[in-house]
Amino acid sequence: MTEQAAPYISNPRIMVLGVQPGTPPFRIVEIDGEVIGEAKSVTDVLEAAAAFGITVHDMDDPDVVRWVGGDKFTWKLH
């Protein structure tokens, strides 16, 4: 495998884990590898990022945010 054919894996500071059961359902948010709390919406993720001095311009940029088990629109269990 050449270097160009190697897959690129980003290491973003923000990771939003899969939806957890609750009323309402929520997602765990990690920043710099540490669990910092729960998010019930994209707004919660942005507020958490801001509290850690991270400005997010594009929630779909894998270099900024990694969404596990869905994307920024996934907030309910299926």
Side-chain angles (χ1 to χ4, degrees):
M1 181 183 302
T2 65
E3 187 175 311
Q4 292 175 336
Y8 172 73
I9 299 174
S10 64
N11 189 21
R13 293 185 64 193
I14 304 167
M15 185 174 312
V16 184
L17 303 179
V19 178
Q20 301 297 310
T23 306
F26 62 93
R27 298 176 79 165
I28 301 293
V29 179
E30 294 181 358
I31 294 183
D32 296 332
E34 292 187 34
V35 173
I36 58 99
E38 300 174 356
K40 295 173 180 72
S41 69
V42 171
T43 303
D44 293 343
V45 176
L46 290 171
E47 288 175 354
F52 281 79
I54 303 168
T55 302
V56 178
H57 296 287
D58 183 357
M59 296 292 284
D60 295 319
D61 184 347
D63 290 329
V64 178
V65 182
R66 178 175 297 150
W67 297 93
V68 178
D71 60 15
K72 66 185 178 187
F73 300 112
T74 307
W75 294 98
K76 295 181 182 178
L77 291 169
H78 295 282

